[in-house]
Amino acid sequence: MALVASDANAACPIQLAVYGEARSGAEIDFTPTGSSATITNTFRMILDNNTVLDGIAMWTEGSAGRPHGSLMYKCPTGDVTGDELAACTVWEGVIYSADEKGVVGLLPAEGADAPKSLIFPDLGPSLEMSAAYGPAGFSKVPWDVFALKGCQE
């Protein structure tokens, strides 16, 4: 997929959005989720040294529903246990968004316009303590805020 520059007036659906973090050069690429009943967003975070983290968001139930995000590193595939998933999860938390005026909201589900920025609370400290960090993985720790930088075609 080609990346097109983000036009201030053009809307990009969240499932095609590309975000970047200036300090580390990390990037987030969203992809369409498909027909999952529980996963509302699918993405990957690309760090330096070609380290790729797989990401998902699932909305919690109830009146205080929130997009609970998870970033995973080298998780096993197929039938996996909760312990196996916990061992490969390098960050978990609510994913927030902010618009051009700085108004904070929540990560929208697929079909909505991509917000101007995304906030992953405590991302850097969590990643720095993960198995993905170090000689076999990435070396530049991203900050918590990623800005919309384009839209995939």
Side-chain angles (χ1 to χ4, degrees):
M1 291 187 181
L3 177 69
V4 291
S6 182
D7 180 334
N9 298 322
C12 176
I14 186 70
Q15 67 270 19
L16 298 177
V18 177
Y19 289 84
E21 191 276 328
R23 187 171 71 181
S24 70
E27 189 173 281
I28 295 174
D29 299 343
F30 279 84
T31 56
T33 295
S35 59
S36 173
T38 56
I39 298 173
T40 55
N41 303 88
T42 304
F43 56 95
R44 58 191 193 136
M45 183 178 288
I46 301 118
L47 304 162
D48 66 299
N49 298 327
N50 294 318
T51 303
V52 177
L53 307 178
D54 296 308
I56 59 167
M58 297 185 291
W59 276 78
T60 58
E61 299 287 325
S63 61
R66 300 202 176 297
H68 181 82
S70 297
L71 282 168
M72 292 148 296
Y73 180 64
K74 293 186 177 180
C75 279
T77 56
D79 260 353
V80 294
T81 66
D83 288 342
E84 288 172 319
L85 276 179
C88 64
T89 299
V90 297
W91 176 87
E92 284 188 284
V94 174
I95 303 173
Y96 295 96
S97 66
D99 65 15
E100 58 280 340
K101 294 177 183 169
V103 176
V104 175
L106 298 169
L107 173 72
E110 288 188 2
D113 290 346
K116 295 299 176 196
S117 60
L118 298 178
I119 305 159
F120 290 74
D122 295 327
L123 175 66
S126 292
L127 293 184
E128 202 166 20
M129 296 177 63
S130 75
Y133 180 70
F138 72 97
S139 62
K140 297 177 183 172
V141 179
W143 191 48
D144 298 2
V145 180
F146 287 74
L148 182 64
K149 65 184 242 183
C151 194
Q152 303 169 59
E153 290 186 322

